[in-house]
Amino acid sequence: MTTVATPARYATVRGWVAASARSIAPHFPIETFIARNPVAGYETLDHEEAMRRIAHDHGVLLTPSEERFRALHTDGRIPLADLVAALHQLVPEARSPHPIVADEFVTTATEVLLQDLLVSPPRAATSTALPTPASGLSPRVHARVDDLTSRWLTALFGDAAWSTPTRGEGMWDAWRRLAALDPTLPRRVRAGIRSTPAEPAAAIDVALEHWGLEGDGAEEFIRAHILAQPGWSALVRHTAAESRSVDLVSLVAIRATLERLLLPAGATLPVRAPSTGRDEEARLLAVATALRADLTVPDVRAALGRILSLTDAYTRLSIWQEAYERRTARALAPASAPVLRTLEETPRPLAQAIFCIDTRSESFRRHLEAAGPVETLGFAGFFAVPISFRPADGAPGVASCPVLLTPRVAVSESSVERDALGRWRRHRTAIAERGRAAHALGESTLAPYAFAETAGWFFGAASVTRTLAPRLWSSVRTGMRRAKPTTRVDADVVFSLDERVLYAETALRMMGLVDGFAPIVLVCGHGASVTNNPFASGLQCGACGGHEGEPNARAAATIFNDPATRDALAERGITIPDDTLFVAAQMDTVTDEVTLLEPWALPASHEMRVLELTRHLETARQANAADRLAGLPGADRDGDAVRETLRRSSDWAEAFPEWGLMGNAAFIVGPRAITAGVDLGRRAFLHSYEAAADPDGTGLETILTAPLVVAQWINAQYAASTVAPDRFGAGPKPLHNVVGTTGVLSGFGGDLRIGLPWQSVGVGRHAHHEPVRLQVFVQAPLARINEIVDESEVVRNLVVNRWITLRAREHDTARWMRFGRYGWETDDLDTTPVTGMPVGDHETTTKENRS
């Protein structure tokens, strides 16, 4: 085969690369780690079909194995009733009650397919991704291509002094120039690199012509190279959106060129062995044996074969997954029961506290409500204020909003104490410069030896203190820092009045907070204080782009307190009383401490109320810390809970500072009344919503097209890191080797790790996270939900293709409806809560579900 090298041909090759790139999601650098479904490109497919494609492309299963599911069934975790219900949900033909008669053998479709689930040879979890030519011809060459590519990309994306070899060149041009000089490569290979085309698409085309590939074969070849090292490919895909010098076409060209030149001349593509029908025969025999059916009778064999043809190995996995999720959904579903209402006017609460929908807020909200007269609400942690934030220390601005949004306004932190701010900023700059210098010394080749001779004694003592007394070391460092001067954010200045009113009204209507305001409304962002954790941003606020929520809380409080904004809101039907004060706060999800961010701005009229609120916050902190520590590995459960959380936040050897969003399983949209007082085990994203306060449905549309999507990303990433940790996880923390600010390697080389560290989902060899798809419960008019599903392609893909399970009801006394294959249907899910619901190997108790 000979192809003509033309611009049109190069465009075709680039199109194949773009299509293949959908097999892996972009990887955000760890400094702004964002949860993403690593297989988001398959969401246009039905979940079952996606499992087939992912197994073919990536060599992994997207669910637990059949052996694991069967063990859970034997242990009672998956009851037979749930298995039958799941079977009927996914295989409509199995619902038929009519018996199947073949000769003297009588059975039903349900009975045959149940035995298929229980006894058929399980679908093996493949371990080989889509093969490249080298992986089939010479594993040694394949490993060599991987190693050379990894070394090159480590140098390209690293931050050591010697890791900037490109001189501003494009990725492909720099590689051609430098790889041709690499003495570790054979002379023949170096000569071949020098003669490769200057256009990377042309270099790929040379490889395609070499192997005689075209059409689907060419695209599969390209996809195999992209998926050979999915971590590096995901990083390149993300970076390519911001830089023209890095792109996947160049990455594939590098790999394809190395492979073509390193393999022996004359090598041809290996022939794949055709699949056989042995698996189906073994399946038929296993089911017939279980049913005591005689396969020598033609009618019996034909009848069983006809029923078994309704499903295959991936359908079985899909049925098992559905059955597995039903118990979780039962435990987390808000009950359908009348809510006791009274005509008596309820007392005005001391405060209302708005927390992020983050699952970690669920238990703190419960404990805070139990501590005193405080109502809580849930809202995405950027509080409807998408900003780019410039801190007072002069650091670069960060996008503090969901990655689905682009901030249009830059909010700055400033201070009237200009002299104090200048001294503080110079102090921070000096500390940062010393840190960069120490890091550069560590990356240098010879300097560390001289540095150790002169200052090693000091750093050795410091290391001993950090290891044996982490809290003492943290206190010393805190004492050495200069106090930050009083600052404010200028959200009331940079946003126009119309923008302030829009953001304020949107947030209040989405939450249903349009009347009954308390004297204090706490706007509480969140962050996580950890030490020596490359994935620290993964514990921060996902709604704030992997940053702390402090800037957004302060900006939102400033807007809500603005008199002009309040006057305009009153004209729109939202009257905020004069004595209502919005107070910005920050919750540390490691220590459970809630800090008021601008205490100097509190008026004297609210001092006593704020003091009472802080007491309730401290009570909730004590209770929540004890609650969380009960499930954290290595926790001192007999000591002071708060003291233990402080140790974990400052200990540089602590692999489990907190569990993050481990266990996340549900997204609940509705008034707080439907979940108040219920222990959901930190497994639910809770978004406040009152349909009556959102007459045109725009609030619900925002919830389902933004926070819901981000929650699904988080849910999918935790699940993928659990079921396929070697492919979609980041591996154990002790093995991490950081590559600049982009990611980590396991050891000194190999693929860039994507997903979550194993310590975020498991302990030892046992998974702690339950890999269930997101169970969504929405209390809102069904017609309104239908419009959103119809109009949003992203939401429609998630719902119709079964990447999430959507349930809804009109009001709190109605039964839940489930969105099925043919629209809404009455859900047969028993909403009686299950006590002692396991979360992996960890037991949490769901209390009696009362509305």
Short mmCIF file of all heavy atoms in Angstrom, two decimals, residues 796-848:
data_model
loop_
_atom_site.label_atom_id
_atom_site.label_comp_id
_atom_site.label_asym_id
_atom_site.label_seq_id
_atom_site.Cartn_x
_atom_site.Cartn_y
_atom_site.Cartn_z
N ARG A 796 -28.22 14.05 29.45
CA ARG A 796 -28.93 12.97 28.76
C ARG A 796 -28.05 11.75 28.59
O ARG A 796 -28.50 10.61 28.80
CB ARG A 796 -29.43 13.48 27.40
CG ARG A 796 -30.31 12.47 26.68
CD ARG A 796 -31.02 13.11 25.48
NE ARG A 796 -30.08 13.59 24.48
CZ ARG A 796 -29.79 14.88 24.26
NH1 ARG A 796 -30.38 15.81 24.98
NH2 ARG A 796 -28.94 15.23 23.31
N ASN A 797 -26.79 11.95 28.24
CA ASN A 797 -25.88 10.80 28.12
C ASN A 797 -25.72 10.06 29.43
O ASN A 797 -25.72 8.83 29.48
CB ASN A 797 -24.51 11.28 27.62
CG ASN A 797 -24.50 11.58 26.13
OD1 ASN A 797 -25.35 11.11 25.38
ND2 ASN A 797 -23.55 12.40 25.71
N LEU A 798 -25.58 10.82 30.52
CA LEU A 798 -25.40 10.18 31.83
C LEU A 798 -26.62 9.39 32.23
O LEU A 798 -26.52 8.28 32.78
CB LEU A 798 -25.08 11.24 32.89
CG LEU A 798 -23.76 11.99 32.75
CD1 LEU A 798 -23.62 13.01 33.88
CD2 LEU A 798 -22.57 11.03 32.77
N VAL A 799 -27.80 9.94 31.97
CA VAL A 799 -29.04 9.30 32.41
C VAL A 799 -29.44 8.16 31.48
O VAL A 799 -29.64 7.01 31.93
CB VAL A 799 -30.18 10.34 32.51
CG1 VAL A 799 -31.51 9.66 32.83
CG2 VAL A 799 -29.86 11.39 33.56
N VAL A 800 -29.57 8.45 30.21
CA VAL A 800 -30.07 7.45 29.26
C VAL A 800 -29.09 6.31 29.09
O VAL A 800 -29.49 5.14 28.96
CB VAL A 800 -30.37 8.13 27.90
CG1 VAL A 800 -30.78 7.09 26.86
CG2 VAL A 800 -31.47 9.18 28.06
N ASN A 801 -27.80 6.61 29.12
CA ASN A 801 -26.79 5.56 28.95
C ASN A 801 -26.41 4.88 30.26
O ASN A 801 -25.44 4.11 30.30
CB ASN A 801 -25.54 6.14 28.28
CG ASN A 801 -25.81 6.53 26.84
OD1 ASN A 801 -26.70 6.00 26.19
ND2 ASN A 801 -25.03 7.47 26.32
N ARG A 802 -27.11 5.21 31.33
CA ARG A 802 -26.99 4.50 32.61
C ARG A 802 -25.63 4.67 33.29
O ARG A 802 -25.16 3.78 33.98
CB ARG A 802 -27.33 3.01 32.45
CG ARG A 802 -28.73 2.75 31.94
CD ARG A 802 -29.10 1.29 31.89
NE ARG A 802 -28.26 0.54 31.00
CZ ARG A 802 -27.47 -0.47 31.37
NH1 ARG A 802 -27.44 -0.85 32.64
NH2 ARG A 802 -26.74 -1.12 30.49
N TRP A 803 -25.03 5.85 33.14
CA TRP A 803 -23.82 6.14 33.90
C TRP A 803 -24.19 6.63 35.30
O TRP A 803 -23.35 6.62 36.20
CB TRP A 803 -22.97 7.17 33.17
CG TRP A 803 -22.33 6.60 31.94
CD1 TRP A 803 -22.90 6.50 30.70
CD2 TRP A 803 -21.04 6.02 31.84
NE1 TRP A 803 -22.02 5.89 29.82
CE2 TRP A 803 -20.87 5.59 30.50
CE3 TRP A 803 -19.99 5.82 32.73
CZ2 TRP A 803 -19.70 4.98 30.05
CZ3 TRP A 803 -18.83 5.21 32.28
CH2 TRP A 803 -18.69 4.80 30.95
N ILE A 804 -25.41 7.09 35.45
CA ILE A 804 -25.97 7.39 36.76
C ILE A 804 -27.37 6.79 36.80
O ILE A 804 -27.94 6.43 35.76
CB ILE A 804 -26.06 8.91 37.04
CG1 ILE A 804 -27.03 9.58 36.06
CG2 ILE A 804 -24.69 9.56 36.97
CD1 ILE A 804 -27.27 11.06 36.36
N THR A 805 -27.92 6.66 38.00
CA THR A 805 -29.31 6.22 38.15
C THR A 805 -30.11 7.39 38.69
O THR A 805 -29.81 7.89 39.78
CB THR A 805 -29.42 5.03 39.11
OG1 THR A 805 -28.61 3.95 38.61
CG2 THR A 805 -30.86 4.55 39.22
N LEU A 806 -31.08 7.86 37.92
CA LEU A 806 -31.86 9.04 38.27
C LEU A 806 -33.22 8.63 38.82
O LEU A 806 -33.98 7.92 38.16
CB LEU A 806 -32.03 9.94 37.06
CG LEU A 806 -32.93 11.17 37.23
CD1 LEU A 806 -32.36 12.12 38.29
CD2 LEU A 806 -33.11 11.90 35.90
N ARG A 807 -33.52 9.10 40.03
CA ARG A 807 -34.84 8.93 40.63
C ARG A 807 -35.39 10.30 40.99
O ARG A 807 -34.63 11.20 41.34
CB ARG A 807 -34.77 8.04 41.87
CG ARG A 807 -34.34 6.60 41.58
CD ARG A 807 -34.25 5.79 42.87
NE ARG A 807 -33.94 4.37 42.59
CZ ARG A 807 -32.72 3.87 42.49
NH1 ARG A 807 -31.66 4.66 42.64
NH2 ARG A 807 -32.53 2.60 42.23
N ALA A 808 -36.69 10.45 40.92
CA ALA A 808 -37.29 11.76 41.20
C ALA A 808 -38.69 11.56 41.78
O ALA A 808 -39.31 10.50 41.65
CB ALA A 808 -37.35 12.59 39.93
N ARG A 809 -39.16 12.61 42.43
CA ARG A 809 -40.54 12.65 42.93
C ARG A 809 -40.97 14.11 42.99
O ARG A 809 -40.14 15.01 43.13
CB ARG A 809 -40.66 11.98 44.28
CG ARG A 809 -39.94 12.68 45.41
CD ARG A 809 -40.03 11.90 46.70
NE ARG A 809 -39.37 12.60 47.81
CZ ARG A 809 -39.15 12.07 49.00
NH1 ARG A 809 -39.52 10.81 49.25
NH2 ARG A 809 -38.57 12.76 49.96
N GLU A 810 -42.28 14.32 42.92
CA GLU A 810 -42.82 15.68 42.90
C GLU A 810 -42.76 16.33 44.27
O GLU A 810 -42.53 17.52 44.40
CB GLU A 810 -44.27 15.65 42.40
CG GLU A 810 -44.43 15.09 40.99
CD GLU A 810 -44.38 16.19 39.93
OE1 GLU A 810 -44.31 17.37 40.31
OE2 GLU A 810 -44.40 15.84 38.73
N HIS A 811 -43.02 15.55 45.32
CA HIS A 811 -43.07 16.10 46.68
C HIS A 811 -42.68 15.00 47.65
O HIS A 811 -42.53 13.83 47.28
CB HIS A 811 -44.46 16.66 47.00
CG HIS A 811 -45.58 15.72 46.65
ND1 HIS A 811 -45.93 14.65 47.45
CD2 HIS A 811 -46.38 15.66 45.56
CE1 HIS A 811 -46.93 14.00 46.88
NE2 HIS A 811 -47.22 14.58 45.73
N ASP A 812 -42.55 15.37 48.95
CA ASP A 812 -41.97 14.43 49.91
C ASP A 812 -42.92 13.33 50.37
O ASP A 812 -42.52 12.44 51.11
CB ASP A 812 -41.41 15.18 51.13
CG ASP A 812 -42.37 16.22 51.66
OD1 ASP A 812 -43.58 16.05 51.45
OD2 ASP A 812 -41.90 17.20 52.26
N THR A 813 -44.17 13.35 49.93
CA THR A 813 -45.07 12.25 50.27
C THR A 813 -45.25 11.28 49.11
O THR A 813 -45.96 10.29 49.24
CB THR A 813 -46.44 12.79 50.70
OG1 THR A 813 -47.03 13.51 49.60
CG2 THR A 813 -46.31 13.71 51.90
N ALA A 814 -44.63 11.57 47.97
CA ALA A 814 -44.76 10.72 46.78
C ALA A 814 -43.70 9.63 46.79
O ALA A 814 -42.66 9.75 47.43
CB ALA A 814 -44.64 11.57 45.52
N ARG A 815 -43.98 8.56 46.05
CA ARG A 815 -42.98 7.51 45.88
C ARG A 815 -41.97 7.94 44.82
O ARG A 815 -42.26 8.73 43.93
CB ARG A 815 -43.64 6.20 45.44
CG ARG A 815 -44.51 5.55 46.50
CD ARG A 815 -44.87 4.14 46.09
NE ARG A 815 -43.69 3.30 45.95
CZ ARG A 815 -43.71 2.03 45.52
NH1 ARG A 815 -44.86 1.48 45.17
NH2 ARG A 815 -42.59 1.34 45.43
N TRP A 816 -40.77 7.38 44.95
CA TRP A 816 -39.73 7.70 43.98
C TRP A 816 -40.04 7.04 42.64
O TRP A 816 -40.47 5.90 42.57
CB TRP A 816 -38.37 7.23 44.47
CG TRP A 816 -37.85 8.03 45.62
CD1 TRP A 816 -37.79 7.67 46.92
CD2 TRP A 816 -37.31 9.36 45.55
NE1 TRP A 816 -37.26 8.68 47.68
CE2 TRP A 816 -36.94 9.73 46.87
CE3 TRP A 816 -37.09 10.26 44.50
CZ2 TRP A 816 -36.39 10.97 47.16
CZ3 TRP A 816 -36.52 11.48 44.79
CH2 TRP A 816 -36.18 11.84 46.11
N MET A 817 -39.81 7.80 41.56
CA MET A 817 -39.90 7.29 40.20
C MET A 817 -38.48 7.17 39.66
O MET A 817 -37.60 7.97 39.98
CB MET A 817 -40.72 8.25 39.32
CG MET A 817 -42.12 8.54 39.83
SD MET A 817 -43.22 7.13 39.65
CE MET A 817 -43.47 7.14 37.86
N ARG A 818 -38.29 6.17 38.83
CA ARG A 818 -36.96 5.93 38.25
C ARG A 818 -37.00 6.16 36.75
O ARG A 818 -37.94 5.74 36.06
CB ARG A 818 -36.51 4.51 38.55
CG ARG A 818 -35.21 4.11 37.84
CD ARG A 818 -34.72 2.77 38.29
NE ARG A 818 -33.57 2.34 37.50
CZ ARG A 818 -32.66 1.48 37.91
NH1 ARG A 818 -32.78 0.92 39.12
NH2 ARG A 818 -31.64 1.14 37.15
N PHE A 819 -35.96 6.83 36.25
CA PHE A 819 -35.86 7.05 34.81
C PHE A 819 -35.29 5.78 34.19
O PHE A 819 -34.12 5.44 34.39
CB PHE A 819 -34.95 8.24 34.51
CG PHE A 819 -35.12 8.80 33.12
CD1 PHE A 819 -35.87 9.94 32.90
CD2 PHE A 819 -34.54 8.17 32.02
CE1 PHE A 819 -36.02 10.46 31.62
CE2 PHE A 819 -34.69 8.67 30.74
CZ PHE A 819 -35.43 9.82 30.53
N GLY A 820 -36.14 5.06 33.44
CA GLY A 820 -35.73 3.79 32.85
C GLY A 820 -35.57 3.88 31.34
O GLY A 820 -35.47 4.97 30.76
N ARG A 821 -35.54 2.74 30.72
CA ARG A 821 -35.32 2.69 29.27
C ARG A 821 -36.41 3.40 28.50
O ARG A 821 -36.19 3.93 27.41
CB ARG A 821 -35.24 1.23 28.80
CG ARG A 821 -34.00 0.49 29.32
CD ARG A 821 -34.01 -0.95 28.81
NE ARG A 821 -32.87 -1.71 29.30
CZ ARG A 821 -31.68 -1.76 28.69
NH1 ARG A 821 -31.50 -1.09 27.58
NH2 ARG A 821 -30.70 -2.48 29.21
N TYR A 822 -37.61 3.41 29.04
CA TYR A 822 -38.76 3.97 28.32
C TYR A 822 -39.36 5.15 29.07
O TYR A 822 -40.56 5.39 29.01
CB TYR A 822 -39.80 2.88 28.08
CG TYR A 822 -39.22 1.64 27.45
CD1 TYR A 822 -39.03 0.48 28.20
CD2 TYR A 822 -38.82 1.65 26.12
CE1 TYR A 822 -38.46 -0.66 27.63
CE2 TYR A 822 -38.25 0.52 25.55
CZ TYR A 822 -38.08 -0.63 26.30
OH TYR A 822 -37.51 -1.74 25.73
N GLY A 823 -38.54 5.87 29.82
CA GLY A 823 -39.03 7.02 30.56
C GLY A 823 -39.23 6.69 32.03
O GLY A 823 -38.66 5.74 32.57
N TRP A 824 -40.10 7.46 32.68
CA TRP A 824 -40.31 7.29 34.12
C TRP A 824 -41.15 6.05 34.41
O TRP A 824 -42.11 5.76 33.72
CB TRP A 824 -41.01 8.51 34.71
CG TRP A 824 -40.18 9.75 34.65
CD1 TRP A 824 -40.35 10.82 33.81
CD2 TRP A 824 -39.05 10.06 35.46
NE1 TRP A 824 -39.38 11.77 34.03
CE2 TRP A 824 -38.57 11.34 35.05
CE3 TRP A 824 -38.38 9.40 36.49
CZ2 TRP A 824 -37.47 11.95 35.64
CZ3 TRP A 824 -37.29 10.01 37.08
CH2 TRP A 824 -36.84 11.27 36.66
N GLU A 825 -40.75 5.32 35.43
CA GLU A 825 -41.50 4.16 35.87
C GLU A 825 -41.46 4.11 37.39
O GLU A 825 -40.52 4.60 38.03
CB GLU A 825 -40.89 2.88 35.29
CG GLU A 825 -39.42 2.71 35.59
CD GLU A 825 -38.77 1.57 34.81
OE1 GLU A 825 -39.19 1.31 33.68
OE2 GLU A 825 -37.82 0.96 35.35
N THR A 826 -42.48 3.55 37.98
CA THR A 826 -42.52 3.45 39.43
C THR A 826 -41.36 2.59 39.92
O THR A 826 -41.15 1.48 39.44
CB THR A 826 -43.85 2.83 39.89
OG1 THR A 826 -44.93 3.63 39.41
CG2 THR A 826 -43.92 2.77 41.42
N ASP A 827 -40.61 3.13 40.85
CA ASP A 827 -39.43 2.42 41.32
C ASP A 827 -39.85 1.35 42.31
O ASP A 827 -40.63 1.61 43.24
CB ASP A 827 -38.47 3.41 41.98
CG ASP A 827 -37.09 2.81 42.18
OD1 ASP A 827 -36.84 1.72 41.63
OD2 ASP A 827 -36.28 3.42 42.87
N ASP A 828 -39.34 0.15 42.12
CA ASP A 828 -39.67 -0.94 43.03
C ASP A 828 -38.69 -1.00 44.19
O ASP A 828 -38.67 -1.96 44.96
CB ASP A 828 -39.68 -2.28 42.29
CG ASP A 828 -38.31 -2.61 41.69
OD1 ASP A 828 -37.43 -1.74 41.69
OD2 ASP A 828 -38.15 -3.74 41.19
N LEU A 829 -37.87 0.05 44.32
CA LEU A 829 -36.89 0.08 45.40
C LEU A 829 -37.59 0.27 46.73
O LEU A 829 -38.33 1.22 46.93
CB LEU A 829 -35.91 1.23 45.15
CG LEU A 829 -34.62 1.23 45.95
CD1 LEU A 829 -33.75 0.05 45.57
CD2 LEU A 829 -33.88 2.53 45.72
N ASP A 830 -37.34 -0.65 47.65
CA ASP A 830 -37.90 -0.53 49.00
C ASP A 830 -37.08 0.51 49.74
O ASP A 830 -35.89 0.34 49.96
CB ASP A 830 -37.82 -1.88 49.71
CG ASP A 830 -38.31 -1.81 51.15
OD1 ASP A 830 -38.92 -0.78 51.53
OD2 ASP A 830 -38.05 -2.76 51.89
N THR A 831 -37.69 1.61 50.14
CA THR A 831 -36.94 2.69 50.77
C THR A 831 -36.78 2.52 52.26
O THR A 831 -36.35 3.42 52.96
CB THR A 831 -37.63 4.04 50.50
OG1 THR A 831 -38.97 3.99 50.96
CG2 THR A 831 -37.58 4.38 49.03
N THR A 832 -37.13 1.32 52.79
CA THR A 832 -36.83 1.05 54.18
C THR A 832 -35.32 0.98 54.34
O THR A 832 -34.67 0.17 53.70
CB THR A 832 -37.45 -0.28 54.63
OG1 THR A 832 -38.86 -0.21 54.42
CG2 THR A 832 -37.16 -0.53 56.10
N PRO A 833 -34.73 1.84 55.18
CA PRO A 833 -33.26 1.87 55.27
C PRO A 833 -32.69 0.56 55.77
O PRO A 833 -33.31 -0.18 56.53
CB PRO A 833 -32.98 3.01 56.27
CG PRO A 833 -34.24 3.80 56.30
CD PRO A 833 -35.35 2.84 56.03
N VAL A 834 -31.47 0.27 55.33
CA VAL A 834 -30.75 -0.92 55.75
C VAL A 834 -29.74 -0.51 56.80
O VAL A 834 -28.90 0.35 56.56
CB VAL A 834 -30.03 -1.57 54.55
CG1 VAL A 834 -29.28 -2.81 55.00
CG2 VAL A 834 -31.03 -1.92 53.47
N THR A 835 -29.79 -1.11 57.97
CA THR A 835 -28.82 -0.78 59.00
C THR A 835 -27.56 -1.61 58.80
O THR A 835 -27.59 -2.71 58.26
CB THR A 835 -29.40 -1.05 60.40
OG1 THR A 835 -29.77 -2.43 60.48
CG2 THR A 835 -30.61 -0.18 60.65
N GLY A 836 -26.47 -1.04 59.25
CA GLY A 836 -25.19 -1.76 59.13
C GLY A 836 -24.72 -1.90 57.71
O GLY A 836 -24.09 -2.87 57.36
N MET A 837 -25.06 -0.93 56.85
CA MET A 837 -24.65 -1.01 55.45
C MET A 837 -23.14 -0.94 55.34
O MET A 837 -22.52 0.00 55.82
CB MET A 837 -25.27 0.14 54.66
CG MET A 837 -24.90 0.14 53.19
SD MET A 837 -25.57 1.58 52.35
CE MET A 837 -24.77 2.90 53.22
N PRO A 838 -22.49 -1.93 54.72
CA PRO A 838 -21.04 -1.90 54.64
C PRO A 838 -20.55 -0.91 53.60
O PRO A 838 -21.17 -0.70 52.58
CB PRO A 838 -20.69 -3.34 54.23
CG PRO A 838 -21.89 -3.81 53.48
CD PRO A 838 -23.07 -3.13 54.12
N VAL A 839 -19.42 -0.30 53.87
CA VAL A 839 -18.72 0.52 52.89
C VAL A 839 -17.37 -0.14 52.71
O VAL A 839 -16.44 0.07 53.46
CB VAL A 839 -18.54 1.97 53.40
CG1 VAL A 839 -17.86 2.80 52.33
CG2 VAL A 839 -19.88 2.57 53.78
N GLY A 840 -17.27 -1.05 51.74
CA GLY A 840 -16.07 -1.86 51.61
C GLY A 840 -15.92 -2.71 52.86
O GLY A 840 -16.83 -3.42 53.26
N ASP A 841 -14.76 -2.63 53.51
CA ASP A 841 -14.53 -3.38 54.74
C ASP A 841 -14.95 -2.60 55.97
O ASP A 841 -14.79 -3.05 57.08
CB ASP A 841 -13.05 -3.73 54.87
CG ASP A 841 -12.60 -4.65 53.75
OD1 ASP A 841 -13.44 -5.45 53.32
OD2 ASP A 841 -11.45 -4.54 53.31
N HIS A 842 -15.48 -1.39 55.78
CA HIS A 842 -15.81 -0.51 56.89
C HIS A 842 -17.31 -0.51 57.10
O HIS A 842 -18.08 -0.39 56.16
CB HIS A 842 -15.32 0.91 56.60
CG HIS A 842 -15.79 1.93 57.59
ND1 HIS A 842 -15.55 1.81 58.92
CD2 HIS A 842 -16.47 3.09 57.41
CE1 HIS A 842 -16.05 2.86 59.54
NE2 HIS A 842 -16.63 3.65 58.64
N GLU A 843 -17.76 -0.65 58.32
CA GLU A 843 -19.18 -0.67 58.63
C GLU A 843 -19.64 0.71 59.07
O GLU A 843 -19.07 1.32 59.97
CB GLU A 843 -19.45 -1.67 59.77
CG GLU A 843 -19.14 -3.11 59.41
CD GLU A 843 -20.21 -3.72 58.54
OE1 GLU A 843 -21.37 -3.31 58.66
OE2 GLU A 843 -19.88 -4.59 57.72
N THR A 844 -20.69 1.23 58.43
CA THR A 844 -21.34 2.43 58.92
C THR A 844 -22.79 2.08 59.19
O THR A 844 -23.35 1.18 58.57
CB THR A 844 -21.28 3.58 57.90
OG1 THR A 844 -22.02 3.19 56.74
CG2 THR A 844 -19.86 3.91 57.52
N THR A 845 -23.41 2.78 60.08
CA THR A 845 -24.78 2.48 60.45
C THR A 845 -25.69 3.59 59.96
O THR A 845 -25.45 4.75 60.24
CB THR A 845 -24.93 2.34 61.98
OG1 THR A 845 -24.07 1.29 62.40
CG2 THR A 845 -26.36 2.01 62.35
N THR A 846 -26.72 3.22 59.23
CA THR A 846 -27.71 4.18 58.79
C THR A 846 -28.86 4.16 59.78
O THR A 846 -29.52 3.14 59.96
CB THR A 846 -28.22 3.82 57.39
OG1 THR A 846 -27.10 3.76 56.52
CG2 THR A 846 -29.19 4.85 56.89
N LYS A 847 -29.12 5.29 60.41
CA LYS A 847 -30.17 5.35 61.41
C LYS A 847 -31.53 5.29 60.76
O LYS A 847 -31.69 5.42 59.55
CB LYS A 847 -30.02 6.66 62.21
CG LYS A 847 -28.71 6.73 62.99
CD LYS A 847 -28.59 8.06 63.72
CE LYS A 847 -27.27 8.15 64.46
NZ LYS A 847 -27.10 9.45 65.12
N GLU A 848 -32.55 5.14 61.58
CA GLU A 848 -33.91 5.08 61.06
C GLU A 848 -34.18 6.33 60.25
O GLU A 848 -33.94 7.46 60.69
CB GLU A 848 -34.91 4.98 62.20
CG GLU A 848 -36.35 4.83 61.71
CD GLU A 848 -37.32 4.73 62.87
OE1 GLU A 848 -36.86 4.70 64.02
OE2 GLU A 848 -38.52 4.71 62.61
#
